[in-house]
Amino acid sequence: DLTKAESLPDSAFDCFVCTQTLNFIFDAKSAVAGAAGLLKPGGVLLGTVSGISQISRYDMDRWGDYWRFTDLSVRKLLEPCFRSAEVQTCGNALAASAFLQGLAVEDLPDRSLLEERDHDYQLLIAFKAVK
């Protein structure tokens, strides 16, 4: 449980990968602090969180589906625990619409349209934070 720092090994890892997890932890701030505590000095937290997304019914019914993030909220979440953080977003209006409608890339007329990044349609937020 990333929110319970006392239950986690201290300064044990060079890298911790945390993908698509923070959306499902109510106390995301404590979870980020717990992840930071796992890392050795100079250790790296690599992760992703959802921006625009539907509710995950499976998770919502079992333990919760709490957050949708932006690049700004991720930066503010990481700043207190890490000396540096890089945050990137992926997505555009087409990608967000296709994702919400459950379309596959094969359903689109031109997959290269997904490559454009529009910071107003943040479908996925990726980050690298250094302790």
Side-chain angles (χ1 to χ4, degrees), residues 35-51:
L38 290 170
L39 295 169
K40 296 175 183 176
V44 176
L45 172 63
L46 299 173
T48 60
V49 293
S50 292

Side-chain angles (χ1 to χ4, degrees), residues 11 13-14 39-43 83 131:
S11 300
F13 303 102
D14 294 316
L39 295 169
K40 296 175 183 176
R83 66 179 164 91
K131 183 173 176 182

Side-chain angles (χ1 to χ4, degrees), residues 30 34 72 77 112 131:
S30 291
L72 179 59
L77 197 58
S112 70
K131 183 173 176 182

Side-chain angles (χ1 to χ4, degrees), residues 18-68:
C18 185
T19 57
Q20 301 304 103
T21 302
L22 295 176
N23 297 81
F24 307 103
I25 300 174
F26 184 75
D27 189 358
K29 186 175 180 180
S30 291
V32 168
L38 290 170
L39 295 169
K40 296 175 183 176
V44 176
L45 172 63
L46 299 173
T48 60
V49 293
S50 292
I52 298 167
S53 179
Q54 76 279 8
I55 289 172
S56 171
R57 182 53 48 197
Y58 180 88
D59 297 300
M60 177 71 97
D61 291 344
R62 284 161 181 78
W63 41 78
D65 183 349
Y66 301 102
W67 309 112
R68 300 299 175 265

